[in-house]
Amino acid sequence: MNYVTLIYLVNLVLYAMYFFGRTQSGEAMSGLDYTVSGILSVFLFFAGYLNARKGMIYRTVLWMFFINVFLFICSGLFDQFGSSFNILSTGNSDSFLFSLALLVYNGYLFPLTVILDGSGLALVVPVVLSFILPSLGYWIGKKLHGGKQNPAEV
């Protein structure tokens, strides 16, 4: 079982339940929003750790990163919008749907994307974090639990 993929999907469901369950949806981001986002990010870090602990190869923590890169490339962010990108406008472009899919897929980072709205970083940061968080957890788990790999996963 790939824990990173599982936790990524669980994060998506948990943050959707939290976000749509909020009573003050029109308010600005609160400290609780950032706390929930941070906790879900730690879950992703821990999933990378679990993959290493179970002896899986490094490639198993990168699947979500590859999906994010695919959505990012399909969005054509820099070619279509340049530096005046606004994630909430369609701009008469088909790439809006890919950008929206990337943001929904990384919904647990929603408070961060709200802060970065209007810059290209609103889509770049989730892609980078989908690489850094599970990879960091994997390498820490690899250091703590040695180099034993599960032969079935190779």
Side-chain angles (χ1 to χ4, degrees), residues 23-78:
T23 57
Q24 302 168 342
S25 60
E27 296 285 321
M29 292 289 141
S30 68
L32 183 61
D33 294 328
Y34 295 108
T35 303
V36 168
S37 180
I39 290 171
L40 294 178
S41 297
V42 170
F43 286 169
L44 192 56
F45 174 84
F46 185 65
Y49 171 81
L50 286 176
N51 274 11
R53 185 173 170 208
K54 295 296 182 181
M56 296 181 184
I57 57 176
Y58 177 63
R59 185 178 46 207
T60 60
V61 299
L62 296 178
W63 286 111
M64 298 301 106
F65 171 69
F66 293 142
I67 292 172
N68 279 326
V69 167
F70 172 74
L71 291 172
F72 181 76
I73 290 171
C74 288
S75 71
L77 175 65
F78 296 114

XYZ file of all heavy atoms in Angstrom, residues 23-78:
447
model
N -18.553 27.580 9.573
C -19.754 28.398 9.701
C -19.565 29.782 9.109
O -20.513 30.390 8.649
C -20.152 28.539 11.176
O -19.054 29.090 11.907
C -20.546 27.197 11.764
N -18.349 30.276 9.088
C -18.068 31.618 8.588
C -17.278 31.520 7.293
O -16.106 31.853 7.226
C -17.279 32.407 9.623
C -17.979 32.515 10.948
C -17.043 33.040 12.017
O -15.844 33.014 11.869
N -17.622 33.535 13.097
N -17.919 31.073 6.230
C -17.206 30.850 4.978
C -16.809 32.146 4.287
O -15.891 32.162 3.487
C -18.051 29.996 4.029
O -19.264 30.667 3.748
N -17.471 33.246 4.596
C -17.145 34.511 3.952
C -16.004 35.249 4.624
O -15.523 36.250 4.119
N -15.557 34.770 5.758
C -14.494 35.422 6.517
C -13.132 35.154 5.886
O -12.949 34.230 5.112
C -14.490 34.900 7.951
C -15.724 35.223 8.724
C -15.782 36.673 9.147
O -14.736 37.221 9.519
O -16.882 37.242 9.088
N -12.185 35.964 6.275
C -10.799 35.748 5.857
C -10.268 34.491 6.549
O -10.880 33.964 7.477
C -9.956 36.956 6.226
N -9.130 34.034 6.102
C -8.528 32.843 6.686
C -8.201 33.091 8.153
O -7.647 34.121 8.509
C -7.235 32.487 5.946
C -7.443 32.023 4.538
S -8.178 30.394 4.535
C -9.298 30.567 3.187
N -8.563 32.142 8.986
C -8.300 32.261 10.419
C -7.090 31.417 10.793
O -6.563 30.653 9.972
C -9.524 31.801 11.210
O -9.705 30.410 11.042
N -6.693 31.523 12.026
C -5.584 30.714 12.516
C -5.898 29.236 12.484
O -5.016 28.406 12.269
N -7.174 28.898 12.688
C -7.582 27.500 12.634
C -7.400 26.930 11.226
O -7.007 25.773 11.077
C -9.035 27.353 13.091
C -9.583 25.932 13.150
C -8.780 25.090 14.135
C -11.042 25.950 13.531
N -7.659 27.735 10.198
C -7.455 27.282 8.819
C -6.001 26.915 8.576
O -5.696 25.883 7.969
C -7.877 28.364 7.826
C -9.364 28.626 7.862
O -10.123 27.687 8.134
O -9.755 29.772 7.610
N -5.106 27.751 9.052
C -3.678 27.486 8.878
C -3.237 26.280 9.708
O -2.395 25.489 9.259
C -2.846 28.714 9.257
C -3.089 29.874 8.334
C -3.805 30.985 8.743
C -2.609 29.847 7.028
C -4.043 32.038 7.888
C -2.836 30.898 6.165
C -3.550 31.997 6.598
O -3.786 33.028 5.747
N -3.824 26.116 10.881
C -3.488 24.975 11.725
C -3.926 23.670 11.077
O -3.160 22.701 11.045
C -4.148 25.121 13.111
O -3.730 26.358 13.683
C -3.787 23.978 14.025
N -5.148 23.631 10.557
C -5.651 22.426 9.888
C -4.789 22.111 8.666
O -4.405 20.962 8.436
C -7.134 22.591 9.499
C -7.587 21.495 8.559
C -8.000 22.623 10.740
N -4.439 23.129 7.897
C -3.585 22.930 6.727
C -2.209 22.403 7.138
O -1.657 21.509 6.489
C -3.439 24.246 5.960
O -2.625 24.074 4.839
N -1.668 22.930 8.215
C -0.369 22.467 8.701
C -0.413 21.030 9.181
O 0.509 20.242 8.915
N -1.478 20.663 9.882
C -1.612 19.288 10.360
C -1.732 18.321 9.190
O -1.112 17.252 9.185
C -2.820 19.165 11.318
C -2.516 19.883 12.625
C -3.185 17.704 11.576
C -3.704 20.018 13.545
N -2.494 18.679 8.177
C -2.630 17.812 7.002
C -1.306 17.712 6.247
O -1.007 16.672 5.658
C -3.751 18.322 6.108
C -5.156 18.240 6.708
C -6.188 18.810 5.746
C -5.519 16.830 7.116
N -0.498 18.757 6.278
C 0.834 18.701 5.669
C 1.746 17.756 6.442
O 2.537 17.025 5.852
C 1.462 20.090 5.613
O 0.707 20.938 4.794
N 1.619 17.750 7.760
C 2.396 16.823 8.589
C 1.976 15.387 8.300
O 2.815 14.475 8.288
C 2.254 17.173 10.088
C 2.839 16.099 10.974
C 2.916 18.509 10.372
N 0.683 15.161 8.044
C 0.230 13.823 7.652
C 0.949 13.346 6.397
O 1.333 12.188 6.299
C -1.280 13.803 7.392
C -2.145 13.851 8.600
C -3.496 14.064 8.462
C -1.640 13.697 9.880
C -4.330 14.108 9.568
C -2.455 13.745 10.999
C -3.806 13.952 10.836
N 1.125 14.243 5.444
C 1.812 13.891 4.201
C 3.280 13.566 4.469
O 3.838 12.634 3.888
C 1.677 15.035 3.200
C 2.066 14.752 1.772
C 1.293 13.569 1.215
C 1.807 15.976 0.917
N 3.897 14.329 5.346
C 5.273 14.066 5.762
C 5.358 12.679 6.406
O 6.250 11.886 6.113
C 5.705 15.165 6.742
C 7.041 14.957 7.368
C 8.190 15.340 6.709
C 7.150 14.392 8.621
C 9.425 15.160 7.284
C 8.386 14.203 9.206
C 9.522 14.589 8.537
N 4.417 12.371 7.290
C 4.378 11.089 7.977
C 4.131 9.934 7.003
O 4.642 8.829 7.197
C 3.313 11.114 9.064
C 3.269 9.883 9.910
C 4.334 9.545 10.721
C 2.162 9.050 9.884
C 4.300 8.397 11.501
C 2.116 7.916 10.657
C 3.182 7.580 11.471
N 3.361 10.175 5.953
C 3.114 9.129 4.953
C 4.404 8.739 4.246
O 4.637 7.553 3.982
C 2.079 9.609 3.941
N 5.246 9.725 3.930
C 6.548 9.408 3.348
C 7.394 8.586 4.300
O 8.090 7.650 3.905
N 7.316 8.928 5.576
C 8.027 8.176 6.609
C 7.538 6.728 6.648
O 8.336 5.795 6.747
C 7.826 8.862 7.962
C 8.332 8.073 9.136
C 9.678 8.093 9.465
C 7.457 7.310 9.908
C 10.153 7.370 10.547
C 7.918 6.590 10.983
C 9.259 6.608 11.304
O 9.722 5.892 12.358
N 6.217 6.524 6.576
C 5.664 5.165 6.594
C 6.102 4.360 5.382
O 6.352 3.160 5.491
C 4.139 5.213 6.673
C 3.544 5.608 8.016
C 2.029 5.694 7.908
C 3.953 4.627 9.095
N 6.183 5.005 4.223
C 6.658 4.293 3.038
C 8.080 3.783 3.244
O 8.412 2.665 2.858
C 6.597 5.195 1.807
C 5.250 5.177 1.140
O 4.278 4.664 1.673
N 5.173 5.764 -0.041
N 8.939 4.607 3.846
C 10.318 4.183 4.101
C 10.363 3.094 5.160
O 11.142 2.139 5.052
C 11.159 5.379 4.532
N 9.541 3.228 6.163
C 9.521 2.250 7.248
C 9.092 0.878 6.751
O 9.559 -0.148 7.234
C 8.577 2.733 8.335
C 8.579 1.865 9.543
C 7.765 2.482 10.638
N 7.600 1.514 11.709
C 6.597 1.485 12.524
N 5.651 2.392 12.419
N 6.519 0.582 13.454
N 8.177 0.856 5.790
C 7.709 -0.412 5.224
C 8.657 -0.948 4.156
O 8.390 -1.977 3.553
C 6.311 -0.246 4.615
C 5.255 0.073 5.634
C 5.082 -1.074 6.601
C 3.980 -0.748 7.600
N 3.781 -1.788 8.569
N 9.758 -0.238 3.899
C 10.764 -0.724 2.958
C 10.433 -0.479 1.499
O 10.989 -1.123 0.617
N 9.548 0.447 1.206
C 9.205 0.749 -0.186
C 10.304 1.591 -0.826
O 11.056 2.273 -0.130
C 7.880 1.490 -0.252
C 6.714 0.689 0.228
S 5.207 1.646 0.077
C 4.046 0.533 0.798
N 10.372 1.550 -2.127
C 11.392 2.330 -2.827
C 10.980 3.797 -2.888
O 9.807 4.135 -2.710
C 11.658 1.764 -4.242
C 10.387 1.732 -5.067
C 12.260 0.377 -4.147
C 10.578 1.273 -6.492
N 11.953 4.649 -3.155
C 11.740 6.098 -3.124
C 10.681 6.544 -4.125
O 9.928 7.472 -3.876
C 13.070 6.810 -3.384
C 12.963 8.302 -3.447
C 12.552 9.028 -2.335
C 13.250 8.992 -4.613
C 12.442 10.403 -2.381
C 13.155 10.368 -4.667
C 12.752 11.063 -3.545
O 12.641 12.423 -3.594
N 10.614 5.877 -5.231
C 9.672 6.242 -6.292
C 8.222 6.250 -5.806
O 7.387 6.984 -6.327
C 9.855 5.267 -7.447
C 9.081 5.543 -8.666
C 9.396 4.533 -9.745
N 9.382 3.186 -9.199
C 10.084 2.178 -9.687
N 10.852 2.367 -10.723
N 10.024 0.987 -9.151
N 7.919 5.469 -4.780
C 6.539 5.388 -4.290
C 6.055 6.689 -3.670
O 4.857 6.932 -3.637
C 6.384 4.261 -3.253
O 7.245 4.512 -2.144
C 6.677 2.914 -3.862
N 6.954 7.538 -3.186
C 6.524 8.803 -2.590
C 6.370 9.894 -3.636
O 5.887 10.980 -3.326
C 7.484 9.289 -1.471
C 7.550 8.282 -0.355
C 8.842 9.625 -2.002
N 6.750 9.627 -4.874
C 6.735 10.663 -5.898
C 5.519 10.646 -6.809
O 5.382 11.526 -7.658
C 8.011 10.573 -6.756
C 9.311 10.827 -6.012
C 10.480 10.669 -6.964
C 9.314 12.199 -5.381
N 4.607 9.701 -6.653
C 3.473 9.617 -7.573
C 2.599 10.863 -7.523
O 2.139 11.359 -8.543
C 2.636 8.368 -7.313
C 3.323 7.140 -7.791
C 3.832 6.142 -7.024
C 3.633 6.805 -9.141
N 4.430 5.199 -7.813
C 4.323 5.581 -9.129
C 3.402 7.405 -10.365
C 4.777 4.946 -10.274
C 3.840 6.785 -11.521
C 4.514 5.575 -11.469
N 2.342 11.377 -6.352
C 1.515 12.585 -6.237
C 2.225 13.791 -6.842
O 1.602 14.654 -7.437
C 1.163 12.864 -4.781
C 0.359 11.770 -4.124
S -1.205 11.453 -4.949
C -0.888 9.915 -5.760
N 3.530 13.829 -6.713
C 4.313 14.889 -7.347
C 4.178 14.808 -8.867
O 3.990 15.828 -9.534
C 5.778 14.790 -6.928
C 6.693 15.688 -7.691
C 6.630 17.062 -7.527
C 7.616 15.168 -8.580
C 7.479 17.909 -8.236
C 8.463 15.997 -9.285
C 8.393 17.365 -9.114
N 4.239 13.612 -9.419
C 4.110 13.458 -10.870
C 2.729 13.890 -11.357
O 2.604 14.507 -12.415
C 4.395 12.011 -11.291
C 5.814 11.584 -11.080
C 6.106 10.306 -10.658
C 6.868 12.464 -11.283
C 7.417 9.898 -10.457
C 8.181 12.074 -11.082
C 8.455 10.791 -10.674
N 1.705 13.589 -10.599
C 0.360 14.040 -10.971
C 0.275 15.555 -10.916
O -0.289 16.198 -11.811
C -0.706 13.377 -10.072
C -0.772 11.890 -10.382
C -2.062 14.033 -10.256
C -1.628 11.100 -9.435
N 0.862 16.158 -9.885
C 0.876 17.615 -9.779
C 1.651 18.259 -10.930
O 1.226 19.281 -11.463
C 1.476 18.054 -8.446
C 0.494 17.972 -7.320
O -0.695 18.193 -7.514
N 0.967 17.651 -6.143
N 2.774 17.670 -11.305
C 3.551 18.207 -12.424
C 2.745 18.109 -13.718
O 2.726 19.047 -14.525
C 4.908 17.478 -12.561
C 5.586 17.793 -13.875
C 5.819 17.848 -11.398
N 2.051 16.999 -13.902
C 1.218 16.841 -15.087
C 0.139 17.924 -15.155
O -0.057 18.569 -16.193
C 0.575 15.456 -15.094
C -0.451 15.278 -16.165
C -0.072 15.129 -17.486
C -1.804 15.286 -15.858
C -1.014 14.979 -18.491
C -2.749 15.135 -16.846
C -2.360 14.980 -18.163
N -0.556 18.154 -14.034
C -1.594 19.187 -14.019
C -1.004 20.577 -14.216
O -1.594 21.420 -14.891
C -2.374 19.131 -12.698
C -3.262 17.910 -12.498
C -3.808 17.879 -11.083
C -4.378 17.886 -13.518
N 0.165 20.807 -13.650
C 0.826 22.101 -13.791
C 1.225 22.362 -15.239
O 0.991 23.450 -15.773
C 2.057 22.155 -12.881
C 2.792 23.450 -12.947
C 2.303 24.568 -12.309
C 3.981 23.548 -13.647
C 2.980 25.771 -12.361
C 4.664 24.742 -13.704
C 4.155 25.860 -13.057
N 1.789 21.370 -15.880
C 2.186 21.523 -17.286
C 0.965 21.726 -18.161
O 0.961 22.576 -19.056
C 3.017 20.308 -17.742
C 4.382 20.343 -17.060
C 3.178 20.288 -19.255
C 5.202 19.090 -17.270
N -0.097 20.978 -17.906
C -1.320 21.104 -18.701
C -1.975 22.471 -18.525
O -2.648 22.957 -19.420
C -2.311 20.000 -18.344
S -1.820 18.387 -18.931
N -1.800 23.067 -17.389
C -2.428 24.374 -17.172
C -1.805 25.449 -18.036
O -2.433 26.473 -18.313
C -2.361 24.755 -15.700
O -1.041 25.073 -15.344
N -0.572 25.242 -18.478
C 0.082 26.242 -19.322
C 0.175 27.583 -18.615
O -0.047 28.635 -19.218
N 0.473 27.522 -17.339
C 0.428 28.704 -16.484
C 1.208 29.889 -17.045
O 0.660 30.967 -17.253
C 0.949 28.339 -15.096
C 1.080 29.455 -14.095
C -0.299 30.008 -13.776
C 1.753 28.964 -12.857
N 2.464 29.705 -17.294
C 3.290 30.843 -17.683
C 3.053 31.281 -19.124
O 3.163 32.459 -19.443
C 4.761 30.527 -17.442
C 5.064 30.316 -15.997
C 5.461 29.079 -15.532
C 4.918 31.343 -15.092
C 5.719 28.881 -14.193
C 5.170 31.162 -13.751
C 5.577 29.925 -13.298
